[in-house]
Amino acid sequence: MDSRFAVFFFIMGGLDTYLNDCPTDCIQTAPAEERIAIQFGDTYFQEEIIGDEIYGIYDFPKYYGAFQPTVGASLSDQDDFWLGAGGKWTTRRIADSPVYVELSLMPGVYFQGDGPDVGFPLQFRGTLGAGIDFPNGSSLSVLFDHRSNANASEWNPGIETVGIRFSQTLD
C-alpha cells in the first residue's frame, strides 16, 4: 500500500481528535450525517487504464473522535469485486463550508475476476477526495484512491481509481 494515505489519514484524524475532542473525551461519539454514495471511475494498473469501476459507499451516522465508520463495495467491468470497512475523516467536521476534503482508509477483501493479479486477497483502500455540498443534502466530489496489500505478499502492484462520486444524506 502507498503508506502516504495511511499516514495522512492518521495525522489529520489524530490531530483533529486531539484538538477538538481530547479536552473532554478523546474518542467521544458524536452524531454524523448518514450518507450513501455512488462513485464511477477509471481503474489503473501499473499506470495503464484497465477499465471502469462502480463503487457504493455507506457512511454510518456517528463519529468516533474524528473518524466516521464507513463501508464500501466496488465492482469493475472485469468482474473484480472489492468489499471493505473502515473509517473516514472529513473537513465537514471542522469547517462550516460547502467545500470539503476527505480521507478514508478501509481494509477489505479483493475477489479477482478477469482483472489483474494483485498478490493477496487482503487489500487496503486509501482515498483522497475533494467535493462540494449542496443545500439539498447531496454532494459531488472527485477522488483518487489506491488499493494494495500493504506488502502482505511479495507481489504488491496495487490498483488506482480516479472517479467522481455523488452522495446523498439520509434523513
Side-chain angles (χ1 to χ4, degrees), residues 70-132:
T70 188
V71 295
S74 68
L75 179 66
S76 78
D77 60 356
Q78 297 176 349
D79 295 326
D80 298 327
F81 181 72
W82 178 88
L83 176 67
K88 179 183 286 185
W89 173 85
T90 179
T91 57
R92 281 186 186 109
R93 193 177 109 87
I94 59 173
D96 187 23
S97 167
V99 177
Y100 64 91
V101 172
E102 71 177 49
L103 296 164
S104 68
L105 183 62
M106 291 194 280
V109 180
Y110 175 78
F111 301 94
Q112 182 181 350
D114 295 328
D117 175 10
V118 293
F120 199 71
L122 176 64
Q123 295 287 305
F124 294 86
R125 189 172 195 146
T127 302
L128 170 63
I132 186 164

Side-chain angles (χ1 to χ4, degrees), residues 4-63:
R4 290 175 286 193
F5 280 106
V7 169
F8 202 47
F9 175 79
F10 286 114
I11 288 174
M12 295 305 294
L15 184 61
D16 181 5
T17 298
Y18 176 75
L19 293 175
N20 294 306
D21 297 324
C22 284
T24 55
D25 180 9
C26 282
I27 307 295
Q28 68 182 350
T29 60
E33 290 183 331
E34 182 180 25
R35 289 182 169 271
I36 58 169
I38 189 87
Q39 177 179 314
F40 299 97
D42 290 329
T43 54
Y44 294 78
F45 180 71
Q46 298 184 339
E47 301 181 15
E48 299 284 332
I49 294 177
I50 59 168
D52 299 316
E53 177 186 67
I54 185 168
Y55 182 24
I57 302 105
Y58 172 74
D59 298 336
F60 289 85
K62 190 170 284 210
Y63 285 112

